[in-house]
Amino acid sequence: GAVVSQHPSRVICKSGTSVKIECRSLDFQATTMFWYRQFPKQSLMLMATSNEGSKATYEQGVEKDKFLINHASLTLSTLTVTSAHPEDSSFYICSAYGTGNTGELFFGEGSRLTVL
Amino acid sequence: SQKIEQNSEALNIQEGKTATLTCNYTNYSPAYLQWYRQDPGRGPVFLLLIRENEKEKRKERLKVTFDTTLKQSLFHITASQPADSATYLCALGLSDMRFGAGTRLTVKP
């Protein structure tokens, strides 16, 4: 199956700093990737759809200036949490559809962000 | 607004029994419904996809049903094992996939 890798898996930062999370498709090309955040015992909430070579599409209520998404190549999308605050602490997960038309989403391992 | 409800936040069963998890949805007519497994601190892993014109799908010990009239999907794990303990998420749609909050299944030896 397709492999999606996220880095870093854990990050702790001070309030006010920016944090970048990378999502890579290792063995396939992904023109579209999705970013989710998940709070404890809650559902995955779709934040944005990342499109290679164009602007990301953000879900309602997600601040695009706060969560910067860049999808500069067919194998890499990045999410930058700018001026992070403690309420941004969460589990961030990316996903992509593999090749073929199976409808199966492949997820990264997730990135746990803790803002002090 | 669209809602996806997984009725039980947690389900505890004895090893060897069949686990049945429920996913109900409202204000939605998805052409696809999927089930994923998520272990603590990890990303979800795909299990099964069922289309709106399919009533039932099986894969090894897993079975999924999809009732578009009731707007409900049932997910069954037969002959459950402690290794099946995880959170199971239902997801609707494809390009704009939405997830339920999940049911945390614990299978006791």
Side-chain angles (χ1 to χ4, degrees):
Chain A
V3 178
V4 175
S5 177
Q6 260 183 264
H7 177 80
S9 57
R10 291 180 184 274
V11 56
I12 300 172
C13 69
K14 291 183 180 178
S15 190
T17 60
S18 294
V19 173
K20 181 187 281 187
I21 300 169
E22 293 185 347
C23 179
R24 293 181 185 273
S25 56
L26 296 187
D27 52 357
F28 68 102
Q29 294 182 332
T31 53
T32 302
M33 289 184 173
F34 304 92
W35 286 97
Y36 298 83
R37 66 188 294 183
Q38 186 178 33
F39 293 107
K41 296 188 179 181
Q42 291 190 27
S43 177
L44 278 81
M45 298 300 297
L46 180 65
M47 298 175 65
T49 302
S50 170
N51 303 298
E52 186 267 336
S54 65
K55 289 183 180 178
T57 306
Y58 289 82
E59 294 298 304
Q60 194 171 12
V62 178
E63 300 174 57
K64 60 181 180 183
D65 295 329
K66 170 79 173 173
F67 299 99
L68 300 178
I69 290 173
N70 185 285
H71 195 155
S73 79
L74 286 171
T75 59
L76 174 63
S77 174
T78 60
L79 168 69
T80 301
V81 183
T82 62
S83 186
H85 290 285
E87 58 266 29
D88 298 323
S89 299
S90 188
F91 192 52
Y92 293 86
I93 313 176
C94 69
S95 70
Y97 289 109
T99 55
N101 205 20
T102 63
E104 175 182 352
L105 262 185
F106 294 91
F107 284 85
E109 306 95 326
S111 300
R112 170 78 56 195
L113 170 64
T114 303
V115 185
L116 302 176
Chain B
S1 62
Q2 296 171 343
K3 253 188 187 176
I4 303 171
E5 289 182 344
Q6 293 190 242
N7 291 20
S8 302
E9 185 179 318
L11 179 64
N12 298 319
I13 64 168
Q14 208 65 36
E15 182 177 9
K17 301 291 186 186
T18 295
T20 299
L21 285 65
T22 306
C23 176
N24 295 292
Y25 57 93
T26 54
N27 297 323
Y28 209 156
S29 295
Y32 302 89
L33 189 146
Q34 302 188 36
W35 284 88
Y36 286 79
R37 170 183 173 140
Q38 186 176 24
D39 290 287
R42 308 293 297 274
V45 174
F46 171 81
L47 295 175
L48 280 168
L49 177 151
I50 188 166
R51 294 175 172 78
E52 61 179 340
N53 60 350
E54 297 175 314
K55 292 256 189 279
E56 180 181 298
K57 201 155 208 183
R58 292 175 187 260
K59 179 181 173 182
E60 296 172 354
R61 294 184 295 113
L62 309 180
K63 184 177 91 171
V64 170
T65 62
F66 191 8
D67 189 324
T68 55
T69 303
L70 289 179
K71 294 187 181 290
Q72 181 182 77
S73 174
L74 299 178
F75 176 77
H76 305 273
I77 306 176
T78 57
S80 60
Q81 304 165 0
D84 295 326
S85 299
T87 296
Y88 292 86
L89 308 170
C90 73
L92 275 58
L94 265 187
S95 59
D96 60 345
M97 197 179 294
R98 309 288 165 164
F99 287 82
T103 296
R104 188 172 68 255
L105 173 67
T106 302
V107 181
K108 299 186 177 179

